[in-house]
Each structure stands twice: as C-alpha cells, then as structure tokens.
C-alpha cells in the first residue's frame, strides 16, 4: 500500500509544488522500498527540436547516465542493484508502482519519476507516442527481476547495499531527492 506525502508538511521538508511521493512496502512478492518514489510533474520541458537530448543532458549533468530510450515494460519488474529515473519524453500513460497491489499513476510528457531500487513498476496502458528516457545514478548497469517471491530475500540483501545517489537527476545537489531520501 502506498502512503503519499503532500505539500505543506509543517514538520518536515516541503518539496516543490507538483511533487508527489509514494512509499511502497514489501508485499511478499516484490521488495519495494522505504525510500519514497518521487513523481515530479512537468519537471523538464522537452525541447521541441530534440526532447530526448533534453532529458539525457539534464540527467547526465546530475550524474544519472547509462541512458536509454524506449517505453516501460508491461510486466511488473524491479531493479535490485540500482535506483532508476524515468523521464517522459512524449505521450502519456499509466504505470502501476509497487506491484499488483500498488498504485496506478498517470504520467505525461515532461514528468520525471525517480524509482528507488526494489520498487516494482509496470506500464498498464499508454498512448501510441509514449516514449521514455531512463537513466541510473553513476551510470550503473541494471538487473531486471520480475515479481518472483523466490528472488525476494536475495533481492532485499542487494537493495540494502545500493548507495543513495549523489544528486537529484533534475536539480542536482539541491533537488528534492536529496531531502526526501535521507
């Protein structure tokens, strides 16, 4: 189950408007994470001339590399060895985060989603022009694990060893990730 933190928390850090956070606990099939998944609405305005380059350059400037361009798998999966950022280059879609019993989140061009290691995600539906740039802190290679309860214990051990990123993929050292993932 997800628990969302809203803007205006009188006891803590107030992320920029348009920032949503979700926390997903292990459901016995996928590990998920105590770190919040971060959705930043309209975080990057894609260039009309080369939207892919805009996302890749922004992420790379902040140390998130090994970028790819594609969509999002339509099956539940997670990465036990690295965090991941997804930048929605074009179109719109709905992605379920947290596994089968997780939350359905709508995303559209300009949105950025930062996924902690271990948080499951699957594209449920998308427009024909849906395109995503993904990248990883420090250019990490990623392992992809499907929702497999047999892999859960080993994955949890690997996730516990994944270091926090050195920078937010959009705003660098001063970005919301640096305050939300403490």
């Amino acid at each position: 189950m997800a628990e969302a933190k809203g803007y205006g928390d009188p006891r803590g850090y107030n992320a920029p408007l348009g920032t949503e956070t979700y926390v997903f606990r292990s459901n016995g099939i996928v590990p998920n994470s105590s770190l919040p998944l971060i959705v930043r609405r309209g975080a990057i305005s894609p260039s009309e001339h080369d939207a892919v380059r805009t996302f890749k350059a922004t992420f790379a400037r902040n140390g998130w590399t090994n970028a790819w361009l594609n969509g999002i798998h339509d099956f539940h999966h997670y990465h036990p060895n690295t965090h991941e950022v997804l930048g929605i280059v074009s179109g719109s879609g709905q992605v379920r985060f947290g596994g089968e019993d997780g939350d359905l989140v709508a995303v559209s061009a300009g949105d950025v989603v930062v996924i902690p290691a271990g948080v499951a995600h699957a594209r449920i539906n998308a427009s024909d022009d849906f395109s995503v740039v993904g990248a990883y802190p420090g250019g990490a290679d990623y392992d992809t694990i499907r929702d497999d309860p047999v892999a859960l214990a080993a994955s949890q051990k690997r996730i516990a060893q994944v270091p926090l990123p050195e920078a937010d993929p959009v705003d660098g050292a001063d970005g919301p990730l640096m305050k939300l993932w403490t």
Side-chain angles (χ1 to χ4, degrees):
M1 164 150 287
E3 105 191 11
K5 292 193 218 173
Y7 181 82
D9 181 354
R11 298 175 313 268
Y13 169 70
N14 285 303
L17 289 173
T19 301
E20 302 167 11
T21 61
Y22 302 82
V23 176
F24 301 99
R25 306 287 180 213
S26 176
N27 63 7
I29 299 171
V30 295
N32 289 315
S33 178
S34 60
L35 297 173
L37 176 127
I38 302 168
V39 179
R40 300 210 32 216
R41 302 292 179 187
I44 296 178
S45 297
S47 163
E48 292 179 23
H49 303 292
D50 195 346
V52 172
R53 184 180 204 151
T54 302
F55 279 91
K56 285 184 177 182
T58 300
F59 297 157
R61 182 172 52 250
N62 294 302
W64 292 67
T65 56
N66 190 19
W68 50 264
L69 172 67
N70 206 331
I72 299 172
H73 293 304
D74 62 357
F75 54 85
H76 293 279
H77 67 285
Y78 61 91
H79 310 294
N81 65 315
T82 187
H83 309 294
E84 180 176 40
V85 63
L86 302 177
I88 312 306
V89 173
S90 62
S92 61
Q94 291 183 308
V95 181
R96 184 167 310 281
F97 294 101
E100 290 285 344
D101 55 347
D103 284 358
L104 191 61
V105 177
V107 292
S108 60
D111 292 349
V112 171
V113 181
V114 185
I115 306 170
V119 171
H121 46 291
R123 175 187 41 79
I124 303 304
N125 62 54
S127 61
D128 290 340
D129 61 342
F130 187 64
S131 183
V132 176
V133 165
Y136 307 89
D141 284 328
Y142 56 92
D143 291 342
T144 300
I145 307 290
R146 291 181 87 142
D147 52 353
D148 178 4
V150 174
L152 185 62
S155 291
Q156 288 171 321
K157 288 179 184 175
R158 292 180 72 194
I159 292 162
Q161 296 175 8
V162 175
L164 293 176
E166 294 182 14
D168 180 284
V170 176
D171 293 319
D174 296 324
L177 178 139
M178 307 313 293
K179 304 231 179 359
L180 293 168
W181 284 16
T182 55

